[in-house]
Amino acid sequence: MSPGHLPPFVAALRDPACYPHPVDRVEVIETHISWVLLAGEFAYKLKKPVDLGFADFSTLERRRHFCDEELRLNRRFAPGLYVAVVPVTGSARRPAMGGEGVALEYAVRMRRFPQSCLFDVMARRGELGTAHVDSLARRVAGLHQAAAVAAGDAAYGRPEEVLARALENIDALARGPVGDRTRDTLAALRRWTIDEHARLAPALGKRRDTGFVREGHGDLHLGNIAWIDGAPVPFDALEFSAALRWSDVMAEVAFVVMDLLAHGLPRLAWRFLDGYLEVTGDYDGVALLRFFVVYRALVRAKVAAIRASQDSGVAGGDPDLSVPVEVSRAWQPAIVAMHGLSGSGKSTVALQIVEVLGAVRVRSDVERKRLAARRGIGPDTLYSLAFTADVYARMEEIALALARAGWTAVVDAASLRGVERDRFAELARDLACPFRLVSCEAPETALRARIDARIRAGTDPSDATTAVLTQQLHWQEPLRPKERETALVAGPEDNGKAAEALRMALASARSETD
């Protein structure tokens, strides 16, 4: 960044002599609301003296307050990164970071990490992978489960407040110097937002009343997540607006999903959602996800417009609206039932389907444990026929809710008995949506070897042993001729073939009903 582009006070802080520790050179990163000075082993974040409406740092007192808030809030997510709030003293021409005397400004001191560790940088380099996203999903789920819940009398997360903020983003973009086509697109997104909100308002209110509005990060895009010491570390939580920070947890999930989509990584976006749901079981929240993805995408567009005008001094042009337009299009539901013995690769193929189709998976191994914990059931009865029937009933409830919300529900279960498969086929008929069966097959010797390897690894949710496999071999009911005619079969080395075949089969089924 050119020193001439910076205010004199910030430009002066590029001098290494301004710092109380060894510094070779100082780099400056600018956002629409801050300057970050990279100096030696630390980074110092200064608030810009701006009032953008949603963020007011117009006075020194306010900037100090929000520095203190930033430190407090971010220590929830990244205690090892956030060190202290320090004054900037001296003079505008010769400032001293953390010096003695009257404070001219305040900065948040953070431990520095390589910018190459940022998720958005990794995404642009093609280095962001499944291990990063899986770990992030577990991290975000854990943070949400531990987060403070909004008090009953708080305004946060109320349906009318959610709509007002969503419309404000659209209106702010429409007030800019955009072309007629973009203005028409924004008008269409505004109508969609109002209609979708009207449909979802009861669910938004119910979730708020039942504790799903919590104090989250508030700005959880890929640029605010770093991979440090083999783990994802969210940082730079939104400090300047409690109303934006306290939201339905699914609004924060949507932020990550949206940004992965915006970076051209849809498979990772849906994989992240799958991992989050596996931990939390918050399938009811999926009904809100599309609304919140569109909302977050429009926030992203607004911030980009603000930043462009700050960089050039001229209001930006047409924003990129590809993600909100795509997500707001009508989605068509479907139900997919997996089939196969333990160890046949059902969960691997089901996850591939999730990534390719943008579907939502409900996994019997996970729901079995969730239901057992709720009922206090021990491991001896986990795989009994009676308890298995209850697990299938629970999965049917989830699949119904997902399909009603417009999603493709992937039921990741053995479905070894005809009645288990029939219930999902009947559910699809009742909903007038496509149904497909995906059958995973492998020799018994391979099944036993896989189960033994899975048990040794200890990383899979399944508790099925080779003894359970023996039981399954006795009670399984092979696919009937009509089922076999339409089922998609996945072998031991499927490598995504079944997922692609399913995508085409569902597209064909939908075109036949149009």
Side-chain angles (χ1 to χ4, degrees):
M1 180 174 293
S2 167
H5 177 77
L6 297 170
F9 173 69
V10 178
L13 285 168
R14 291 169 60 97
D15 184 352
C18 295
Y19 298 85
H21 52 81
V23 175
D24 291 331
R25 61 190 296 267
V26 179
E27 299 176 44
V28 181
I29 297 175
E30 184 175 1
T31 75
H32 62 298
I33 58 174
S34 66
W35 296 285
V36 180
L37 306 164
L38 306 180
E41 63 179 309
F42 296 104
Y44 295 87
K45 184 176 178 184
L46 297 163
K47 313 286 182 194
K48 287 183 176 180
V50 296
D51 182 358
L52 299 176
F54 61 88
D56 182 0
F57 303 146
S58 55
T59 68
L60 179 62
E61 181 181 3
R62 292 186 68 83
R63 293 195 292 278
R64 177 176 184 174
H65 167 73
F66 284 116
C67 282
D68 290 337
E69 276 292 273
E70 181 169 356
L71 184 70
R72 176 184 71 84
L73 292 165
N74 281 285
R75 281 182 168 170
R76 299 174 301 159
F77 303 103
L81 291 184
Y82 284 79
V83 180
V85 174
V86 298
V88 184
T89 59
S91 67
R93 296 185 64 181
R94 298 180 63 85
M97 186 68 74
E100 300 292 332
V102 177
L104 305 175
E105 195 55 81
Y106 291 91
V108 178
R109 177 188 285 170
M110 300 171 283
R111 298 195 186 280
R112 189 173 170 184
F113 56 84
Q115 295 299 290
S116 59
C117 294
L118 293 172
F119 270 35
D120 63 337
V121 175
M122 295 169 66
R124 287 193 291 272
R125 290 201 309 254
E127 296 174 359
L128 193 66
T130 58
H132 306 111
V133 167
D134 291 348
S135 185
L136 178 64
R138 293 190 295 269
R139 175 70 171 144
V140 173
L143 290 169
H144 284 175
Q145 290 174 325
V149 176
D153 58 351
Y156 310 134
R158 295 188 184 278
E160 59 273 18
E161 186 254 355
V162 172
L163 178 62
R165 294 196 178 279
L167 295 180
E168 190 280 330
N169 286 318
I170 299 172
D171 294 343
L173 286 166
R175 287 192 296 268
V178 298
D180 290 343
R181 180 175 297 180
T182 296
R183 201 174 303 281
D184 290 344
T185 300
L186 288 168
L189 287 169
R190 196 179 198 280
R191 290 191 297 273
W192 181 90
T193 296
I194 292 171
D195 292 345
E196 191 73 356
H197 179 271
R199 186 177 68 83
L200 296 173
L204 286 164
K206 181 180 178 181
R207 284 177 61 81
R208 186 195 178 284
D209 293 342
T210 51
F212 285 95
V213 171
R214 304 186 178 189
E215 187 178 33
H217 182 283
D219 198 21
L220 197 60
H221 57 78
L222 301 189
N224 283 342
I225 306 165
W227 187 255
I228 301 174
D229 296 331
V233 179
F235 67 98
D236 203 16
L238 192 150
E239 82 285 359
F240 53 79
S241 172
L244 294 176
R245 193 170 60 249
W246 288 82
S247 67
D248 191 299
V249 293
M250 200 52 65
E252 191 144 278
V253 172
F255 219 144
V256 180
V257 170
M258 176 278 298
D259 214 13
L260 287 166
L261 292 174
H263 280 81
L265 299 170
R267 295 187 66 147
L268 291 185
W270 306 127
R271 186 182 181 107
F272 168 80
L273 176 63
D274 179 82
Y276 179 88
L277 294 173
E278 184 169 305
V279 176
T280 65
D282 186 15
Y283 294 99
D284 288 342
V286 177
L288 310 177
L289 187 70
R290 291 174 62 213
F291 176 87
F292 282 128
V293 167
V294 170
Y295 165 62
R296 292 302 194 186
L298 291 166
V299 170
R300 189 180 198 270
K302 183 177 75 171
V303 170
I306 293 172
R307 179 64 191 276
S309 67
Q310 289 179 338
D311 286 346
S312 64
V314 179
D318 291 340
D320 180 3
L321 300 178
S322 56
V323 170
V325 167
E326 178 64 27
V327 174
S328 66
R329 288 176 179 153
W331 289 18
Q332 296 176 301
I335 294 177
V336 177
M338 303 302 296
H339 165 262
L341 296 158
S342 292
S344 61
K346 296 184 302 300
S347 293
T348 298
V349 174
L351 184 54
Q352 291 170 348
I353 291 170
V354 165
E355 294 177 1
V356 170
L357 271 65
V360 178
R361 175 174 62 156
V362 51
R363 192 172 179 183
S364 63
D365 292 325
V366 174
E367 297 311 313
R368 190 182 301 273
K369 286 185 174 181
R370 242 194 283 273
L371 189 59
R374 200 175 302 144
R375 295 185 181 179
I377 290 174
D380 292 343
T381 56
L382 271 180
Y383 287 89
S384 68
L385 286 174
F387 187 62
T388 295
D390 291 343
V391 173
Y392 275 84
R394 172 59 183 150
M395 291 191 296
E396 186 176 0
E397 292 175 6
I398 296 170
L400 175 61
L402 292 171
R404 281 179 171 168
W407 292 82
T408 293
V410 180
V411 182
D412 180 6
S415 304
L416 296 176
R417 302 166 69 214
V419 66
E420 294 165 350
R421 302 188 291 271
D422 290 345
R423 67 195 309 163
F424 294 108
E426 291 167 4
L427 180 61
R429 281 195 294 272
D430 291 343
L431 295 171
C433 71
F435 170 79
R436 284 295 183 273
L437 193 64
V438 178
S439 181
C440 296
E441 301 177 354
E444 183 179 341
T445 53
L447 299 176
R448 293 187 181 278
R450 287 180 182 179
I451 292 171
D452 286 339
R454 190 168 64 192
I455 292 172
R456 285 195 301 271
T459 57
D460 194 275
S462 176
D463 286 321
T465 62
T466 53
V468 170
L469 174 61
T470 300
Q471 289 179 323
Q472 292 177 340
L473 288 166
H474 281 95
W475 76 47
Q476 71 168 328
E477 298 173 6
L479 296 184
R480 292 161 289 201
K482 285 189 177 181
E483 291 178 314
R484 179 65 68 178
E485 286 176 8
T486 57
L488 297 171
V489 178
E493 303 299 331
D494 180 74
N495 296 323
K497 296 176 184 176
E500 288 296 338
L502 177 63
R503 181 180 60 80
M504 292 186 288
L506 290 177
S508 176
R510 286 162 177 155
S511 65
E512 291 173 2
T513 59
D514 289 344

